Amino acid sequence: MVLLHIKHGDEDQFLLKETCSTSIENLTQEVTKIYNGRLKVQRVCAAPNEKMKQVLKATVEEAKALISKKQIQANVCVTIDMVKDALDQLRGAVMIVYPMGLPPYDPIRMEFEDKEDLAGTHASLEVIEESEAQLWWAGKELKKTNQLSDYVGKNEKTKIIVKIQKKGQGAPAREPVISGEDQKQMILFYHKRQEELKKLEENDDDACLDSEWADSHALKRQFHGVKDIKWRPR
């Protein structure tokens, strides 16, 4: 199974597993459904008033955990069934709190019935309709007429970063050659090295030349396993 790390812009979204033989059209549909489904779960979790939040708190936390971006760090793939489970949990909890049902105009009920009106909201900018969705990898648009194997070959153990976005936005920014964490470590190493060199320049005492680290042959002896050998007569 190919492991796909889905992103929108620079933001992590979720992990997904697919076979190399998966068509890009089906892949695009699935990625879009999960992407939009996660947004719906987040909107429902944010919509309850304070009284509802107290009653629904545990269910809300469980639902949010199912579709959380932290699933990436846990190496857990998200499926459309997991998104549906999260919505079903929320729907069941709301029915317990409001056994007579919510009014037709209630935003949570409208979300459950897919009648939500997001016009003029920030949420409307996040949603991507399936007909407008595009997937990109390594600066290339994944054409819906192709299969995943046309891009990654037939190695089922491949891991790639795929970005979803709307048509007409051009190619998304490519991923950096090194990760942000690796870059941070390199900068820390550079600054540490600069500090060490600065201290050496300020040290006028030649006694430091007798130190082990100043021995140009120390590293060679260590590799040959002859470190700390002392020569003395028997």
Side-chain angles (χ1 to χ4, degrees):
M1 302 289 280
V2 178
L3 182 63
L4 295 93
H5 181 161
I6 307 300
K7 285 190 171 188
H8 181 222
D10 292 328
E11 291 190 12
D12 295 327
Q13 298 297 320
F14 54 91
L15 296 179
L16 180 67
K17 280 186 177 180
E18 290 290 349
T19 63
C20 292
S21 59
T22 300
S23 71
I24 299 301
E25 183 174 9
N26 290 340
L27 177 62
T28 304
Q29 291 176 353
E30 185 172 8
V31 170
T32 307
K33 286 179 179 178
I34 296 175
Y35 171 80
N36 288 329
R38 290 178 66 256
L39 293 177
K40 180 183 286 290
V41 173
Q42 292 168 357
R43 291 196 301 271
V44 172
C45 289
N49 56 38
E50 285 304 315
K51 182 179 179 181
M52 288 178 65
K53 282 182 179 179
Q54 292 177 7
V55 178
L56 301 175
K57 184 177 180 181
T59 305
V60 165
E61 292 303 318
E62 290 178 9
K64 288 169 66 176
L66 277 174
I67 55 92
S68 173
K69 294 177 181 179
K70 292 181 180 179
Q71 297 281 45
I72 295 177
Q73 284 75 40
N75 204 33
V76 174
C77 293
V78 177
T79 66
I80 190 62
D81 287 337
M82 291 171 66
V83 175
K84 290 179 180 178
D85 286 344
L87 288 171
D88 287 342
Q89 289 180 19
L90 293 168
R91 187 181 288 107
V94 169
M95 288 178 66
I96 293 174
V97 178
Y98 295 95
M100 301 301 292
L102 294 169
Y105 56 82
D106 187 273
I108 294 181
R109 176 172 173 175
M110 294 176 71
E111 287 282 2
F112 287 148
E113 296 178 351
D114 293 328
K115 297 178 180 178
E116 66 272 16
D117 182 9
L118 303 178
T121 67
H122 176 71
S124 65
L125 302 177
E126 297 178 316
V127 174
I128 301 177
E129 299 294 335
E130 286 186 27
S131 59
E132 294 293 315
Q134 286 182 330
L135 300 182
W136 291 75
W137 170 63
K140 300 176 182 178
E141 179 191 348
L142 306 186
K143 300 294 185 180
K144 294 183 179 180
T145 53
N146 291 343
Q147 290 185 332
L148 188 57
S149 59
D150 293 326
Y151 299 94
V152 301
K154 296 184 178 180
N155 184 356
E156 295 285 359
K157 295 183 179 180
T158 304
K159 179 179 179 180
I160 61 175
I161 294 178
V162 174
K163 294 191 175 184
I164 180 174
Q165 67 177 35
K166 294 180 181 179
K167 289 181 181 178
Q169 293 183 332
R174 300 187 67 166
E175 291 294 299
V177 178
I178 59 174
S179 67
E181 183 61 28
D182 288 341
Q183 189 176 30
K184 180 180 178 181
Q185 293 300 323
M186 290 175 64
I187 293 175
L188 289 175
F189 175 82
Y190 172 78
H191 285 301
K192 182 178 180 181
R193 182 60 176 161
Q194 290 295 102
E195 287 297 320
E196 291 175 349
L197 292 175
K198 183 177 179 181
K199 289 180 181 179
L200 287 176
E201 291 177 357
E202 294 174 352
N203 191 350
D204 294 326
D205 187 0
D206 291 339
C208 66
L209 297 177
D210 296 329
S211 301
E212 181 180 353
W213 59 264
D215 186 353
S216 61
H217 299 289
L219 182 61
K220 182 177 180 181
R221 287 202 302 272
Q222 183 173 348
F223 279 123
H224 286 283
V226 293
K227 184 180 179 182
D228 296 332
I229 292 179
K230 300 184 183 298
W231 302 97
R232 59 184 180 184
R234 296 181 179 179

